[in-house]
Coordinates of all heavy atoms in Angstrom, one line a residue:
D1 N 0.9 -1.2 -0.1 CA 0.0 0.0 0.0 C 0.9 1.3 0.0 O 0.5 2.2 -0.7 CB -0.9 0.0 1.2 CG -2.0 -1.0 1.1 OD1 -2.3 -1.6 0.0 OD2 -2.6 -1.4 2.2
V2 N 2.0 1.3 0.8 CA 2.8 2.4 0.9 C 3.5 2.6 -0.5 O 3.7 3.8 -0.9 CB 3.8 2.2 2.0 CG1 4.9 3.3 2.0 CG2 3.2 2.2 3.4
F3 N 4.0 1.5 -1.1 CA 4.7 1.6 -2.4 C 3.8 2.2 -3.4 O 4.1 3.1 -4.3 CB 5.2 0.3 -2.8 CG 6.1 0.3 -4.0 CD1 7.3 1.0 -4.0 CD2 5.8 -0.5 -5.1 CE1 8.2 1.1 -5.1 CE2 6.7 -0.4 -6.2 CZ 7.8 0.4 -6.3
V4 N 2.5 1.7 -3.5 CA 1.5 2.3 -4.4 C 1.3 3.8 -4.1 O 1.3 4.6 -5.1 CB 0.2 1.6 -4.3 CG1 -0.9 2.3 -5.0 CG2 0.2 0.2 -4.8
S5 N 1.2 4.2 -2.9 CA 1.0 5.6 -2.6 C 2.1 6.5 -2.9 O 1.9 7.6 -3.6 CB 0.8 5.7 -1.1 OG 0.7 7.1 -0.7
E6 N 3.4 6.0 -2.7 CA 4.6 6.7 -3.1 C 4.7 6.9 -4.6 O 5.1 7.8 -5.1 CB 5.9 6.2 -2.5 CG 6.0 6.3 -1.0 CD 6.2 7.7 -0.6 OE1 7.4 8.1 -0.6 OE2 5.3 8.3 -0.1
M7 N 4.3 5.8 -5.3 CA 4.4 5.8 -6.8 C 3.4 6.8 -7.3 O 3.8 7.7 -8.2 CB 4.1 4.4 -7.4 CG 5.2 3.4 -7.2 SD 4.8 1.9 -8.1 CE 4.8 2.3 -9.8
N8 N 2.2 6.8 -6.8 CA 1.2 7.8 -7.3 C 1.6 9.2 -7.0 O 1.3 10.1 -7.9 CB -0.1 7.3 -6.6 CG -0.9 6.2 -7.2 OD1 -0.6 5.9 -8.4 ND2 -1.6 5.4 -6.5
K9 N 2.2 9.4 -5.8 CA 2.6 10.7 -5.6 C 3.7 11.2 -6.5 O 3.7 12.4 -6.9 CB 3.0 10.8 -4.0 CG 1.9 10.8 -3.1 CD 2.4 10.7 -1.6 CE 1.3 10.6 -0.6 NZ 1.9 10.5 0.8
G10 N 4.6 10.3 -6.7 CA 5.8 10.7 -7.5 C 5.4 10.9 -8.9 O 5.9 11.9 -9.6
I11 N 4.5 10.1 -9.5 CA 4.0 10.3 -10.9 C 3.3 11.5 -11.1 O 3.2 12.1 -12.2 CB 3.2 9.0 -11.3 CG1 3.3 8.8 -12.9 CG2 1.7 9.2 -11.0 CD1 4.5 8.1 -13.3
H12 N 2.5 12.0 -10.0 CA 1.8 13.3 -10.0 C 2.6 14.5 -9.4 O 2.0 15.5 -9.1 CB 0.5 13.1 -9.3 CG -0.4 12.2 -9.9 ND1 -0.8 12.2 -11.1 CD2 -1.1 11.1 -9.4 CE1 -1.6 11.2 -11.4 NE2 -1.8 10.5 -10.3
Q13 N 3.9 14.2 -9.4 CA 4.9 15.3 -9.0 C 4.6 15.9 -7.5 O 4.8 17.1 -7.3 CB 4.9 16.4 -10.0 CG 5.4 16.0 -11.4 CD 5.7 17.1 -12.3 OE1 4.8 17.6 -13.0 NE2 7.0 17.6 -12.4
Q14 N 4.1 15.1 -6.7 CA 3.8 15.4 -5.3 C 5.1 14.9 -4.5 O 5.8 14.1 -5.0 CB 2.5 14.9 -4.8 CG 1.3 15.3 -5.4 CD 0.1 14.5 -5.2 OE1 0.1 13.6 -4.3 NE2 -1.0 14.8 -5.9
S15 N 5.1 15.3 -3.3 CA 6.3 15.0 -2.4 C 6.3 13.4 -2.3 O 5.3 12.9 -1.7 CB 6.3 15.6 -1.0 OG 7.3 15.2 -0.3
S16 N 7.4 12.8 -2.5 CA 7.5 11.3 -2.5 C 9.0 10.9 -2.3 O 9.8 11.6 -2.8 CB 6.9 10.7 -3.8 OG 7.1 9.3 -3.8
S17 N 9.2 9.7 -1.9 CA 10.5 9.2 -1.7 C 10.9 8.6 -3.1 O 12.1 8.1 -3.3 CB 10.7 8.2 -0.6 OG 9.8 7.0 -0.8
L18 N 10.0 8.4 -4.0 CA 10.2 7.9 -5.4 C 10.3 8.9 -6.4 O 9.3 9.6 -6.5 CB 9.2 6.8 -5.6 CG 9.0 5.6 -4.7 CD1 7.8 4.6 -5.1 CD2 10.4 4.8 -4.8
Q19 N 11.4 8.9 -7.1 CA 11.6 10.1 -8.1 C 10.7 9.9 -9.3 O 10.2 10.8 -9.9 CB 13.1 10.1 -8.6 CG 13.5 11.3 -9.3 CD 15.0 11.3 -9.4 OE1 15.7 10.9 -8.5 NE2 15.5 11.7 -10.6
M20 N 10.3 8.6 -9.7 CA 9.4 8.3 -10.8 C 9.8 9.2 -12.1 O 9.0 9.9 -12.6 CB 8.0 8.6 -10.5 CG 7.5 7.7 -9.2 SD 7.5 6.0 -9.5 CE 6.1 5.9 -10.6
E21 N 11.1 9.1 -12.4 CA 11.8 9.9 -13.5 C 11.2 9.4 -14.9 O 11.3 8.3 -15.3 CB 13.2 9.9 -13.5 CG 14.0 10.8 -14.3 CD 13.8 12.3 -13.7 OE1 13.8 12.4 -12.6 OE2 13.8 13.1 -14.6
N22 N 10.7 10.4 -15.7 CA 10.4 10.2 -17.1 C 11.6 10.1 -17.8 O 12.4 10.9 -17.9 CB 9.6 11.4 -17.6 CG 8.9 11.1 -19.0 OD1 9.3 10.2 -19.6 ND2 8.0 12.0 -19.4
T23 N 11.8 8.9 -18.5 CA 13.0 8.7 -19.4 C 12.8 9.2 -20.7 O 13.7 9.3 -21.5 CB 13.3 7.2 -19.5 OG1 12.3 6.5 -20.2 CG2 13.4 6.5 -18.1
Y24 N 11.5 9.5 -21.1 CA 11.2 10.0 -22.5 C 11.4 8.9 -23.5 O 11.6 9.2 -24.7 CB 11.9 11.3 -22.8 CG 11.5 12.4 -21.9 CD1 12.2 12.7 -20.8 CD2 10.4 13.2 -22.3 CE1 11.8 13.8 -19.8 CE2 10.0 14.3 -21.4 CZ 10.7 14.5 -20.3 OH 10.3 15.5 -19.4
I25 N 11.5 7.6 -23.1 CA 11.5 6.5 -24.0 C 10.1 6.0 -24.2 O 9.6 5.3 -23.3 CB 12.5 5.5 -23.6 CG1 13.8 6.0 -23.5 CG2 12.5 4.3 -24.7 CD1 15.0 5.2 -22.8
P26 N 9.4 6.4 -25.2 CA 8.0 6.1 -25.3 C 7.6 4.7 -26.0 O 6.4 4.4 -26.1 CB 7.4 7.2 -26.2 CG 8.5 7.5 -27.1 CD 9.9 7.2 -26.4
E27 N 8.6 4.1 -26.4 CA 8.3 2.7 -27.1 C 9.6 1.9 -27.2 O 10.7 2.5 -26.9 CB 7.8 3.0 -28.5 CG 8.5 3.7 -29.4 CD 7.8 4.2 -30.6 OE1 6.8 5.0 -30.5 OE2 8.2 3.7 -31.7
L28 N 9.5 0.6 -27.4 CA 10.6 -0.2 -27.6 C 10.9 -0.4 -29.0 O 10.4 0.2 -29.9 CB 10.4 -1.6 -26.8 CG 10.0 -1.3 -25.3 CD1 9.7 -2.7 -24.7 CD2 11.2 -0.7 -24.5
L29 N 11.9 -1.3 -29.3 CA 12.3 -1.5 -30.7 C 11.1 -2.2 -31.5 O 10.3 -3.0 -30.9 CB 13.6 -2.4 -30.8 CG 14.7 -1.8 -30.2 CD1 15.2 -2.4 -29.0 CD2 15.9 -1.8 -31.3
D30 N 11.0 -1.8 -32.7 CA 9.8 -2.4 -33.5 C 10.2 -3.3 -34.6 O 9.5 -3.7 -35.4 CB 9.0 -1.3 -34.0 CG 9.6 -0.4 -35.1 OD1 10.8 -0.7 -35.5 OD2 9.0 0.6 -35.4
G31 N 11.6 -3.5 -34.7 CA 12.1 -4.5 -35.7 C 12.5 -3.8 -37.0 O 13.1 -4.5 -38.0
S32 N 12.3 -2.5 -37.1 CA 12.7 -1.7 -38.3 C 14.1 -1.2 -38.2 O 14.6 -0.6 -39.2 CB 11.7 -0.6 -38.6 OG 11.8 0.4 -37.6
E33 N 14.7 -1.2 -37.0 CA 16.1 -0.6 -36.8 C 17.2 -1.2 -37.5 O 17.3 -2.5 -37.5 CB 16.3 -0.5 -35.3 CG 15.4 0.3 -34.5 CD 14.1 -0.5 -34.1 OE1 14.1 -1.8 -34.4 OE2 13.2 0.0 -33.5
E34 N 17.9 -0.4 -38.3 CA 19.0 -1.0 -39.1 C 20.2 -0.1 -38.9 O 20.1 1.1 -38.6 CB 18.6 -0.9 -40.6 CG 17.4 -1.7 -41.0 CD 17.7 -3.2 -41.2 OE1 18.8 -3.6 -41.4 OE2 16.7 -4.0 -41.0
G35 N 21.4 -0.7 -39.0 CA 22.6 0.1 -39.1 C 23.4 0.1 -37.9 O 23.4 -0.8 -37.0
L36 N 24.4 1.1 -37.8 CA 25.4 1.1 -36.7 C 25.0 2.1 -35.6 O 24.6 3.3 -35.9 CB 26.8 1.5 -37.3 CG 27.3 0.5 -38.4 CD1 28.6 1.1 -39.0 CD2 27.6 -0.8 -37.7

């Protein structure tokens, strides 16, 4: 319950011990990636 509460506070930018940092990676590989 405490972990859920801290996650919700962090994701809504309220005071929390969890940073819940946005990495700005909105998707994973889709199989089209080519090259170096």
Side-chain angles (χ1 to χ4, degrees):
D1 290 343
V2 171
F3 189 59
V4 169
S5 173
E6 290 291 282
M7 285 184 71
N8 285 332
K9 287 175 182 175
I11 209 81
H12 294 305
Q13 296 190 277
Q14 299 166 8
S15 179
S16 171
S17 60
L18 298 176
Q19 195 171 321
M20 301 295 285
E21 190 70 35
N22 186 351
T23 67
Y24 296 92
I25 301 172
E27 55 194 64
L28 302 176
L29 292 108
D30 66 5
S32 67
E33 297 82 8
E34 304 277 340
L36 300 171

